[in-house]
Amino acid sequence: MNLDQEIKQHFRCAKCGNTRATVKRFAATGTGLSKLFDIQHNVFIAVSCGQCGFTELYNPEVLEGKKNLGNILDLIFGG
Ligand SMILES: [Zn+2]
């Protein structure tokens, strides 16, 4: 299972408690800094609540490859 799917499975909205999430990856381009870094290091994951639209950003570089990813996601979304 990839990170996006893991996030969807563990998601629980901090605002309304809804468990249906939309996960999108996007590159933070357009700043002067983006030219200095490899584009892969400017990719973020936006997790949006399917009910109220509350959105949080995560850095996939930090989360990908974590052995205890499930535990971390439980922590983020309150289990
Ligand atoms: Zn919500």
Side-chain angles (χ1 to χ4, degrees):
M1 201 183 315
N2 69 27
L3 178 61
D4 301 42
Q5 288 171 322
E6 288 272 8
I7 287 175
K8 276 189 185 177
Q9 200 169 64
H10 285 83
F11 178 79
R12 188 175 175 281
C13 179
K15 302 290 180 189
C16 73
N18 170 57
T19 53
R20 192 169 51 85
T22 303
V23 178
K24 282 180 183 165
R25 285 176 188 242
F26 67 97
T29 57
T31 71
L33 282 175
S34 64
K35 287 178 185 167
L36 299 174
F37 299 102
D38 190 299
I39 194 68
Q40 279 194 316
H41 297 294
N42 285 314
V43 173
F44 296 97
I45 290 183
V47 183
S48 295
C49 171
Q51 181 148 297
C52 73
F54 177 65
T55 303
E56 289 182 309
L57 295 181
Y58 295 95
N59 185 339
E61 265 192 282
V62 174
L63 294 176
E64 263 163 7
K66 289 244 198 271
K67 283 184 188 136
N68 56 343
L69 179 61
N71 292 339
I72 294 168
L73 293 174
D74 279 345
L75 201 68
I76 289 172
F77 299 121

